[in-house]
Amino acid sequence: MSAPFESNPLLERLPNHLRQFIKPQDYAEYTPINQAVWRYVMRKNVDYLSRVAHESYLEGLKKTGIETENIPSMYGMNRILQEIGWAAVAVDGFIPPNAFMEFQAYNVLVIASDIRQLENIEYTPAPDIIHEGAGHAPIIANPEYAEYLRRFGEIGCKAISSARDYEIYEAIRLLSILKEAEGTPQDEIDAIELRVDQLQNEPAEPSEMALIRNLHWWTVEYGLIGTPEDPKIYGAGLLSSIGESAWCMTDNVAKLPYDINAAYRGFDITKLQPQLFVTPDFAHLSLVLEEFANKMALRTGGLSGLEKLIKSKALGTVELSTGIQISGVFTNVIENEGKPVYIQTTGKTALSYREKELVGHDTSYHAEGFGSPVGRLKGINLAIEDMSPRDLMAYNIYEGLTVTLEFEGDITVTGDIITGTRNLQGKIILISFKNCTVTHNDTVLFQPEWGIYDMAVGKKVISAFSGPADVKSFDMVSHVPSSKTIKAKKSAEREELEKLYQAIRNIREGKEAAFSIDEVFAKLTESHSSDWLLSVEIAELLHKQNDTVLLQDVLKHLDEVKEKRPKVAHLITGGLELIFEKESVL
């Protein structure tokens, strides 16, 4: 059964470049062991987190309909999330940060539909349905937090990345896949871990995306709320990790007041966090986000914003003071006295106004790039954008006239004016010329034989951000991940163990089972003696049935597993504590 993702009206709004990341959730792929892993983690979490998580967590579990007994289906989640104004989609592991955040801006929760292997039940660096479904989904039922998440996505997807960011993303994605996959040689893991460390520790000025990802990590993923002395958990990474949710509450982890300085604190997804940040309330998260946004090129624009776009070598947008938006790959800026006086793109470019592409100014028309002066005319206090029709005529900026415009910074535009395009306020935002020559001192920037010259109008750059102004202007359906998640290997031994897990699940649910409890336990101890989770589930059934004789054999077997596998001893103890209501089972 593949649950369709078109089960929530919010999803119909998603642009194609986001839809490319969505994959169907094949519910039939979840095995009985997968279901047992989900059930164990959720039962442990609900028991423990009811004491240490923010009150919104348990309330959210009820509101979102997430059960402890069954891995949620996307169809069911979407039907329920719709009631709180959200939706969910399945994806394959990590997706690029800009896309992840843009989904949030559309009120869509991204869920990696794979589930961690039993060997990684406490924590996995790979995003999975436990992390996303049981971690993120419940908290968004809190309206204040949900708005923070949406707003974070809206701002975050405009953050300008660097080429290094994408390298780090690809390396971390591969590392998470290899660490989650069973049987990966340790030398392969060591090699990619070394690569991640090298990339993350390279001396380089962090990009806007790197900084805002830090804020995302220390809030959405690993956030605490309350006071440093008495914090509660709300971050999805903690809510979904039965190991780290307990570890983070100890004195081993420093608790720091959350502020904008968290943007400059990096993180390592493969290790327990040495410190966490505590916000007094969800409203404070939004205050810090706005404080950070005020420092972004999205709001500051200017020369520094253009330089960030050029350095990114990626599709971005510059907005001028008239509201005209230029989207493309920016490759050059001419500056004068710390201000941009000429901006230039290379390759496909589109012009927009208020996120809507201007008619006749798509990427096919501006296929070779775009360049335009920015700023004021020399010796004239009145900027072109502020000129009235009478002013424009006085300076010969009028249809049918030949004009020479000398801009500050020694940019000169000479040509015959064809027409002008105005915005809703009547200000000219674009002037088109024929027979046009554009120069910077002795350098020719445009010449008549190149055709019509379109000059954007604006006295300054007020915004620079990642991505196009109008998402329909560019074909961005081009993402090909460098790596794909690795499914658990199938074998005759594994298939037999899955059947034993299914039998116990059927017995617990009152369904017909292929084996009795006695038969399951006999086969388990004979052929799968190192498995621990199924024995815990058998103990649970026997305790309910008051079968003390076989229960003692199961508990004895679990003691033997603890001896053989000390690393899972605490997991066995934790599972038994749930069954015997905190009675001593040691």
Side-chain angles (χ1 to χ4, degrees):
M1 176 188 77
S2 291
F5 69 81
E6 297 90 355
S7 52
N8 185 315
L10 282 172
L11 299 176
E12 296 171 10
R13 300 165 48 217
L14 291 175
N16 288 336
H17 73 277
L18 291 183
R19 286 175 178 267
Q20 71 181 313
F21 295 102
I22 301 172
K23 72 169 191 175
Q25 181 196 29
D26 189 348
Y27 201 87
E29 283 192 0
Y30 296 125
T31 69
I33 294 177
N34 292 154
Q35 295 285 2
V37 167
W38 170 272
R39 184 171 181 268
Y40 179 91
V41 173
M42 289 303 296
R43 291 176 76 230
K44 283 291 292 177
N45 276 4
V46 171
D47 175 68
Y48 174 67
L49 294 173
S50 62
R51 303 189 297 276
V52 298
H54 187 265
E55 59 187 15
S56 296
Y57 176 72
L58 292 178
E59 293 173 7
L61 282 177
K62 295 174 187 174
K63 286 182 181 177
T64 53
I66 294 173
E67 305 173 6
T68 58
E69 296 295 316
N70 300 289
I71 296 170
S73 78
M74 290 297 168
Y75 184 83
M77 281 189 71
N78 268 318
R79 182 170 44 78
I80 295 165
L81 286 172
Q82 183 178 339
E83 296 176 11
I84 57 175
W86 280 72
V89 294
V91 298
D92 182 39
F94 281 114
I95 64 173
N98 287 81
F100 180 88
M101 293 187 190
E102 194 174 356
F103 271 111
Q104 285 183 193
Y106 281 94
N107 283 36
V108 174
L109 192 63
V110 173
I111 294 180
S113 56
D114 290 328
I115 187 167
R116 66 194 64 177
Q117 299 301 309
L118 176 55
E119 292 73 21
N120 298 324
I121 194 167
E122 282 193 282
Y123 172 78
T124 172
D128 75 337
I129 197 164
I130 293 178
H131 172 77
E132 315 283 6
H136 285 296
I139 296 295
I140 63 171
N142 180 295
E144 184 86 54
Y145 181 76
E147 173 56 19
Y148 168 71
L149 203 62
R150 184 201 67 78
R151 186 69 176 141
F152 199 109
E154 196 172 56
I155 293 169
C157 72
K158 301 294 187 184
I160 300 171
S161 300
S162 66
R164 178 171 166 270
D165 289 334
Y166 199 77
E167 274 190 88
I168 292 173
Y169 153 70
E170 291 283 12
I172 287 176
R173 176 182 165 86
L174 180 57
L175 175 61
S176 71
I177 289 170
L178 294 180
K179 290 197 95 170
E180 177 59 25
E182 54 184 325
T184 304
Q186 188 59 45
D187 59 341
E188 282 190 37
I189 293 176
D190 291 343
I192 191 63
E193 276 190 334
L194 179 62
R195 177 64 179 147
V196 170
D197 285 342
Q198 288 173 338
L199 284 169
Q200 290 184 328
N201 294 320
E202 280 178 357
E205 185 179 351
S207 69
E208 289 182 347
M209 178 53 74
L211 294 175
I212 204 166
R213 278 190 70 218
N214 287 345
L215 289 183
H216 194 272
W217 181 264
W218 298 122
T219 60
V220 176
E221 298 294 352
Y222 278 79
L224 299 175
I225 187 168
T227 64
E229 297 73 32
D230 183 27
K232 298 291 185 185
I233 296 171
Y234 74 90
L238 297 172
L239 292 174
S240 60
S241 171
I242 55 179
E244 197 154 10
S245 60
W247 166 260
C248 78
M249 285 297 168
T250 68
D251 291 338
N252 295 307
V253 180
K255 316 297 192 303
L256 308 175
Y258 178 65
D259 58 28
I260 198 169
N261 292 312
Y264 301 91
R265 186 70 67 100
F267 59 88
D268 185 339
I269 69 164
T270 67
K271 296 181 176 66
L272 294 170
Q273 305 308 313
Q275 82 285 307
L276 295 173
F277 292 88
V278 188
T279 183
D281 48 45
F282 289 138
H284 181 70
L285 298 179
S286 295
L287 291 176
V288 174
L289 176 61
E290 292 301 321
E291 184 181 356
F292 181 82
N294 285 337
K295 299 175 182 291
M296 289 172 60
L298 174 67
R299 294 186 181 172
T300 60
L303 179 63
S304 63
L306 273 160
E307 289 173 337
K308 287 178 183 178
L309 280 181
I310 292 169
K311 188 177 178 182
S312 77
K313 300 178 182 178
L315 176 61
T317 297
V318 157
E319 182 175 337
L320 304 186
S321 46
T322 54
I324 192 169
Q325 296 163 316
I326 304 153
S327 299
V329 177
F330 288 83
T331 52
N332 187 37
V333 59
I334 298 172
E335 62 174 287
N336 178 61
E337 297 180 353
K339 297 177 182 178
V341 293
Y342 195 86
I343 56 178
Q344 197 162 5
T345 64
T346 298
K348 293 182 176 181
T349 304
L351 305 184
S352 303
Y353 178 73
R354 291 189 173 177
E355 288 71 52
K356 178 96 174 150
E357 184 179 274
L358 294 176
V359 176
H361 292 281
D362 59 14
T363 57
S364 62
Y365 180 69
H366 296 290
E368 304 297 324
F370 181 85
S372 179
V374 178
R376 297 174 179 273
L377 297 173
K378 253 185 198 177
I380 300 175
N381 290 328
L382 197 61
I384 293 176
E385 66 189 74
D386 297 324
M387 290 182 179
S388 67
R390 184 174 293 177
D391 295 322
L392 291 168
M393 183 175 285
Y395 290 106
N396 287 336
I397 306 173
Y398 208 76
E399 287 90 339
L401 298 180
T402 300
V403 67
T404 295
L405 303 175
E406 294 184 18
F407 288 85
E408 294 175 346
D410 300 316
I411 305 293
T412 302
V413 178
T414 299
D416 304 331
I417 297 179
I418 302 171
T419 187
T421 302
R422 298 177 184 270
N423 63 18
L424 293 173
Q425 287 73 39
K427 291 184 177 182
I428 285 190
I429 61 173
L430 191 69
I431 300 174
S432 298
F433 298 82
K434 64 181 180 180
N435 302 322
C436 188
T437 300
V438 182
T439 60
H440 173 237
N441 294 322
D442 297 329
T443 303
V444 176
L445 303 173
F446 191 93
Q447 49 198 34
E449 51 267 34
W450 294 354
I452 303 299
Y453 180 71
D454 299 290
M455 184 185 81
V457 176
K459 56 190 172 188
K460 60 182 178 179
V461 173
I462 63 168
S463 182
F465 55 87
S466 175
D470 186 337
V471 295
K472 296 176 182 176
S473 294
F474 293 81
D475 178 12
M476 297 187 291
V477 184
S478 58
H479 177 70
V480 179
S482 61
S483 49
K484 291 187 177 180
T485 51
I486 301 169
K487 304 296 182 185
K489 296 173 183 175
K490 292 185 178 181
S491 64
E493 181 184 0
R494 180 67 169 239
E495 290 294 323
E496 182 185 53
L497 183 59
E498 294 282 7
K499 288 177 182 176
L500 299 181
Y501 269 87
Q502 186 62 56
I504 292 301
R505 184 174 179 83
N506 286 351
I507 293 169
R508 187 172 61 247
E509 294 176 352
K511 299 176 182 176
E512 185 177 341
F515 309 104
S516 67
I517 298 178
D518 304 57
E519 290 172 325
V520 170
F521 183 59
K523 290 176 182 292
L524 181 70
T525 52
E526 180 184 341
S527 305
H528 311 279
S529 60
S530 64
D531 183 89
W532 63 273
L533 181 53
L534 186 54
S535 293
V536 171
E537 293 208 327
I538 292 171
E540 179 188 355
L541 282 177
L542 294 172
H543 181 62
K544 286 180 180 177
Q545 295 176 3
N546 204 26
D547 185 342
T548 56
V549 177
L550 185 55
L551 177 59
Q552 290 307 310
D553 290 340
V554 173
L555 294 178
K556 181 181 177 183
H557 170 67
L558 283 169
D559 282 338
E560 292 170 358
V561 176
K562 285 183 184 180
E563 288 289 326
K564 286 192 298 183
R565 302 183 61 193
K567 287 186 177 180
V568 301
H570 67 291
L571 295 172
I572 295 170
T573 300
L576 295 177
E577 282 178 346
L578 287 173
I579 299 167
F580 299 104
E581 300 177 338
K582 305 296 183 296
E583 293 174 15
S584 176
V585 292
L586 299 175

